[in-house]
Amino acid sequence: MDRHMIKSGLLAGAVSGLALAYLQWAAYLLNILPYHVYIAAASIILPENLLFSVFGLIVGFVLHTAFSALVGLLLAYVVHHRLEKAVSWGIGFGLAAVILSNFVLAWLGPEQPLLAMRQTAIYFTVISRILYGAFLGYLYKRYLSLPVGRLP
């Protein structure tokens, strides 16, 4: 893997993670999801009394974006020779993210696991992660097709 692939994977992961966070934030505000995605990410390292502060939101934003960038880097490593399958692998990574986030939420907050949520929240979570994976694969393919000097 060269630097262009690494930068493309990190950037695609961060941008698609940001899109997922805003989609799930809107679902939280519409009372579809019982948790805020940045609060759930910040709960990994922050105590409960700091989660709902501005500091908690900033830490959650940074953690969620960093985790998404690492998923993009992992996608870049997996599909660097099979670029035509980037979207398919991205959808698979999105489904894996549903399972992983279920385990993390069940471990850190036993009152908020995925299977204890309402059906609409479960459907929204699965569909939004599939869209996240498809967007991740698409962005990686698009960023990789840019000339090497043009990537920000």
Side-chain angles (χ1 to χ4, degrees), residues 73-138:
L73 183 63
L74 183 62
L75 178 79
Y77 178 74
V78 169
V79 301
H80 69 280
H81 289 299
R82 299 174 297 275
L83 194 57
E84 69 278 354
K85 296 187 180 198
V87 175
S88 303
W89 274 96
I91 290 171
F93 277 33
L95 289 173
V98 170
I99 295 168
L100 183 64
S101 66
N102 182 28
F103 285 129
V104 169
L105 284 176
W107 179 49
L108 296 174
E111 69 280 354
Q112 296 290 346
L114 182 68
L115 298 178
M117 292 192 288
R118 297 184 313 248
Q119 263 189 333
T120 55
I122 293 171
Y123 293 148
F124 183 83
T125 301
V126 171
I127 290 171
S128 65
R129 295 291 175 141
I130 289 172
L131 289 173
Y132 156 75
F135 192 53
L136 171 66
Y138 172 76

Side-chain angles (χ1 to χ4, degrees), residues 11 29 31 50 99 122 152:
L11 187 61
L29 292 176
N31 204 18
L50 291 177
I99 295 168
I122 293 171

Side-chain angles (χ1 to χ4, degrees), residues 25 36 38-39 42 46 50-62:
W25 193 354
H36 186 292
Y38 291 156
I39 303 284
L46 291 180
L50 291 177
L51 289 180
F52 294 95
S53 64
V54 173
F55 179 69
L57 288 174
I58 292 171
V59 168
F61 167 76
V62 169

